């Protein structure tokens, strides 16, 4: 075995963001070593799944719980750095690289591409588990952000065409009177649409609405264009 154990690792208190137990994926063609890592990870309180090849791992359906990957760089079928490229849009699943050969250029490349950690064998058990802990929290935060964006999109989708128009003009800084002039409706009608829109978007103030619009970004004009 190429891993050295030290004192037992203790998990932090469970995050309120998600009640689901995180999954740690281990991708290593050394089946014995992969099994050892699986036992180590599960003893720390996480779920673990092992894969002997990159293709096997990449064919697994996406996990909708906090997760990370412990990935061997030198896999026989697909290089670990290529796997990282395939997962470039998966910021909710950080990668912890492991390798038996130190390569500064490879390490720099992996870290610049967003790797959570790059460990050279042999490494201590606590070092790996600490890296996993940080990666899982990154995953949890990314999933939480995705859920928030999905909720915002859902609220925005519930707005009527007129409410979307009012929102677009209000967040641009126009007063109700000017909004009414732009849309050809009365100021009182603008206030009514604005009130409904604010409630649906769950915005308690104009600054909060502006912040929501900034998060939605280009989706607002795109939806307006479709409604036109």
């Amino acid at each position: 075995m190429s891993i050295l154990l030290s004192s037992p690792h203790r998990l932090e208190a469970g995050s309120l963001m998600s009640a689901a137990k995180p999954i740690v994926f281990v991708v290593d063609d050394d089946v014995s070593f992969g099994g050892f890592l699986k036992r180590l990870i599960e003893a720390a309180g996480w779920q673990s799944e092992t894969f002997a090849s990159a293709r096997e791992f990449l064919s697994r359906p996406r996990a909708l719980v906090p997760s990370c990957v412990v990935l061997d760089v030198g896999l026989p079928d697909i290089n670990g750095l290529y796997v990282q490229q395939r997962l470039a849009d998966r910021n909710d699943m950080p990668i912890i690289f492991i390798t038996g050969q130190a390569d500064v250029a490879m390490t720099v490349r992996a870290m610049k591409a967003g790797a959570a950690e790059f460990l050279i064998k042999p490494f201590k058990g606590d070092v790996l588990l600490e890296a996993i802990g940080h990666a899982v929290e990154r995953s949890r935060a990314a999933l939480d952000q995705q859920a928030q964006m999905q909720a915002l999109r859902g609220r925005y989708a519930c707005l009527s065409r007129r409410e979307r128009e009012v929102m677009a003009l209000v967040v641009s800084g126009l007063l109700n009177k000017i909004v009414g002039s732009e849309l050809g409706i009365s100021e009182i009608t603008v206030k009514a649409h604005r009130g409904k829109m604010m409630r649906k978007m769950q915005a308690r103030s104009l600054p909060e609405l502006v912040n929501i619009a900034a998060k939605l970004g280009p989706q607002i004009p795109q939806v307006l264009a479709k409604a036109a």
Side-chain angles (χ1 to χ4, degrees):
M1 294 299 178
S2 54
I3 188 168
L4 302 176
L5 295 179
S6 57
S7 59
H9 177 82
R10 292 188 178 183
L11 292 173
E12 297 294 331
S15 171
L16 296 178
M17 295 181 190
S18 174
K21 182 183 287 188
I23 302 177
V24 180
F25 301 106
V26 176
V27 188
D28 196 312
D29 60 311
D30 185 336
V31 177
S32 177
F33 185 61
F36 174 69
L37 291 183
K38 177 180 174 67
R39 292 190 295 274
L40 177 70
I41 291 164
E42 292 181 349
W46 293 295
Q47 299 182 73
S48 181
E49 295 181 19
T50 59
F51 303 85
S53 71
R55 288 188 175 87
E56 182 186 0
F57 167 65
L58 292 172
S59 67
R60 187 200 187 282
R62 183 169 185 164
L64 298 179
V65 299
S67 63
C68 69
V69 188
V70 177
L71 177 64
D72 187 3
V73 176
L75 294 169
D77 58 340
I78 301 177
N79 181 275
L81 294 178
Y82 178 73
V83 175
Q84 184 182 33
Q85 293 177 12
R86 291 279 300 273
L87 300 175
D89 63 338
R90 293 291 309 276
N91 68 330
D92 59 302
M93 191 169 64
I95 297 175
I96 299 170
F97 280 108
I98 57 175
T99 182
Q101 298 181 345
D103 185 323
V104 175
M106 182 183 295
T107 303
V108 171
R109 180 180 170 187
M111 297 304 289
K112 281 187 174 181
E117 187 59 86
F118 200 107
L119 302 178
I120 309 298
K121 302 175 184 177
F123 46 80
K124 293 183 178 180
D126 281 358
V127 172
L128 174 63
L129 294 176
E130 183 178 3
I132 290 174
H134 291 310
V136 165
E137 287 311 306
R138 276 179 55 179
S139 174
R140 199 185 303 277
L143 288 173
D144 185 61
Q145 184 177 35
Q146 291 172 18
Q148 290 179 21
M149 283 303 302
Q150 185 176 1
L152 288 181
R153 295 188 189 107
R155 294 172 200 163
Y156 187 73
C158 291
L159 297 182
S160 67
R161 175 182 175 179
R162 182 65 82 190
E163 289 164 354
R164 293 174 187 174
E165 292 172 340
V166 169
M167 177 176 172
L169 294 173
V170 166
V171 298
S172 70
L174 298 183
L175 299 175
N176 290 340
K177 183 177 181 179
I178 306 301
V179 172
S181 177
E182 290 286 330
L183 298 177
I185 57 179
S186 68
E187 185 176 353
I188 294 177
T189 303
V190 171
K191 289 181 179 179
H193 286 306
R194 180 170 177 166
K196 291 180 181 178
M197 176 268 295
M198 294 286 284
R199 287 192 294 273
K200 289 181 180 180
M201 295 305 298
Q202 298 182 22
R204 293 165 293 183
S205 65
L206 178 57
E208 188 172 354
L209 182 68
V210 171
N211 185 48
I212 289 173
K215 290 180 179 179
L216 289 171
Q219 297 175 55
I220 293 181
Q222 287 174 1
V223 177
L224 282 172
K226 292 179 182 178

